Every structure is written in structure tokens, then in C-alpha cells.
Amino acid sequence: MLGQALFEAGTTRMAQAHARVSGGRTHVYSFGYRSTALDGRLGAAHTVELPFVFDIADKPWLHGDTRLLGPDPAPAALAAQVHGAWVAFANTGNPGWAPYDPQRPAVEILGE
């Protein structure tokens, strides 16, 4: 609930505003991979997606009971998907899914 209040509501308003003026260049995703850190209590916290964005989720220093991604191995396919989408967006402006439309809001779900 706190995550929704801190991030989701503001992100939705920002995406709607940007979509109205961007000419179809707004793309939104939700990252749902749940870290197993702290016995799973960290979950899908803010910044957990960053090792996937930079394709470093397999690095040992990110894993352990109290490390960002927890003791479990991160899914390599998810790292490739997220990293690929960010690289594609940086190169072309299209991460590989439909642009956000305030009239029919679509959010790409990654890692759930």
C-alpha cells in the first residue's frame, strides 16, 4: 500500500500528463520481480529493477540474505528482457510495447 501511495499514483499522473503531449512516446512498465532478501520481506521494492536494467543481476555482490536481490539466483531471461527494453528505448524510443494511452492505459508487466 505504501508503494502505491509513494510511487504508483504519482507515476500514473505523470504518465497521463506526458502521454497527452508526447505524441505517442510514453511507455510505462511495472516491475514485479520480488527480491528474496530479508526472508522475502524486501519484495518488489523500488530500485530492485536496476540490476536487471543494467544486466548485472547475476553479480555475486547483489546476492545474499541481506543483499538487494536476496540469496536466490535472479532470472537471467528477465534480466535480458528488461535490459533489452531499456537499450531499445534508448536507441529507438520504443521499448517493444505499445505506447501509453490515457484513454486506454496499458502498462507492460515485467517480472511477475
Side-chain angles (χ1 to χ4, degrees), residues 14-34:
M14 186 183 329
Q16 290 171 342
H18 190 269
R20 285 193 290 275
V21 299
S22 72
R25 295 181 306 143
T26 302
H27 298 272
V28 177
Y29 73 89
S30 176
F31 189 79
Y33 175 78
R34 299 187 59 79

Side-chain angles (χ1 to χ4, degrees), residues 29-33 44 48-49 52 78 82 108-112:
Y29 73 89
S30 176
F31 189 79
Y33 175 78
V48 168
E49 80 276 12
F52 295 85
L78 180 59
V82 174
E108 184 75 9
I109 306 297
L110 302 173
E112 286 188 334

Side-chain angles (χ1 to χ4, degrees), residues 41-111:
R41 292 189 312 269
L42 185 59
H46 185 60
T47 74
V48 168
E49 80 276 12
L50 293 180
F52 295 85
V53 168
F54 295 104
D55 199 14
I56 59 168
D58 61 341
K59 299 300 181 196
W61 50 270
L62 289 167
H63 294 275
D65 291 336
T66 60
R67 304 290 176 119
L68 183 62
L69 296 180
D72 296 344
L78 180 59
Q81 178 189 18
V82 174
H83 180 72
W86 276 67
V87 169
F89 184 75
N91 285 325
T92 68
N94 183 350
W97 57 82
Y100 184 87
D101 179 350
Q103 302 305 316
R104 293 180 312 283
V107 175
E108 184 75 9
I109 306 297
L110 302 173

